[in-house]
Amino acid sequence: TLGYSELVNSAIQAFELSTVIGNKECSKIGSAYKFYYIDSDGDIISITSNNDLKEAQKSGVNKLLLTNNQNDANERLNSSILNCSTI
């Protein structure tokens, strides 16, 4: 299964984040920037570790959002904006 560091590296490569936000900002993924998802209860949950990622995988999560703003996560995850790939 995919580990947290592999998820971070895959996101950086797939979305060319080094170019978009820069290497310095990429190094903040896990602290300033976090992956978020909605759990089965409708709660916004952050992923910052292997254990968090395993929990998300167990719950069948199929959409993640990477942001540095939890309010942005709430708004975007509760809207249809995730039907497209945006940064």
Side-chain angles (χ1 to χ4, degrees), residues 48-59:
T48 59
S49 68
N50 281 329
N51 287 337
D52 293 343
L53 182 56
K54 285 179 187 176
E55 187 65 32
Q57 290 167 330
K58 283 183 201 175
S59 67

Side-chain angles (χ1 to χ4, degrees), residues 14-71:
F15 296 102
E16 299 178 355
L17 295 179
S18 295
T19 302
V20 175
I21 64 173
N23 289 329
K24 184 176 180 181
E25 292 299 305
C26 286
S27 69
K28 296 178 183 177
I29 296 174
S31 57
Y33 292 90
K34 297 177 183 175
F35 290 96
Y36 292 91
Y37 68 96
I38 297 179
D39 71 3
S40 60
D41 296 326
D43 297 324
I44 304 294
I45 308 295
S46 66
I47 299 175
T48 59
S49 68
N50 281 329
N51 287 337
D52 293 343
L53 182 56
K54 285 179 187 176
E55 187 65 32
Q57 290 167 330
K58 283 183 201 175
S59 67
V61 169
N62 60 9
K63 292 183 182 180
L64 295 178
L65 174 70
L66 177 62
T67 185
N68 63 351
N69 182 318
Q70 187 168 3
N71 290 331

